[in-house]
Amino acid sequence: GCRQVAGRNFQVGDGIANVRGWTGSMPIICKLAKVPPRIWLRWFLPLFGLILLTQMLCVALALAIGY
């Protein structure tokens, strides 16, 4: 039930959140792709928000159906 949902949240959320920060893989990705971090963030932050919203909806659905 709730334990499975919590475990899934940790797996998905941790991986996505680690990409976006200065301590994650973002500086390496930007350097290798020769893309300024400002431009990368302008593209990635809306995508991150959409993924986060989708994950929250999936968690709500999973808890509502008793997964």
Side-chain angles (χ1 to χ4, degrees):
C2 188
R3 190 177 289 176
Q4 289 177 330
V5 174
R8 183 70 184 138
N9 283 345
F10 180 76
Q11 290 172 344
V12 173
D14 188 50
I16 294 170
N18 285 341
V19 174
R20 57 120 177 87
W22 291 107
T23 58
S25 56
M26 191 198 82
I28 298 167
I29 292 169
C30 288
K31 185 72 171 175
L32 290 174
K34 297 180 175 127
V35 174
R38 186 174 0 131
I39 292 174
W40 192 86
L41 283 171
R42 192 179 317 148
W43 171 83
F44 182 73
L45 288 178
L47 177 63
F48 181 75
L50 181 64
I51 292 170
L52 185 65
L53 180 63
T54 303
Q55 180 64 17
M56 290 187 320
L57 292 173
C58 288
V59 168
L61 178 64
L63 290 174
I65 65 172
Y67 174 74

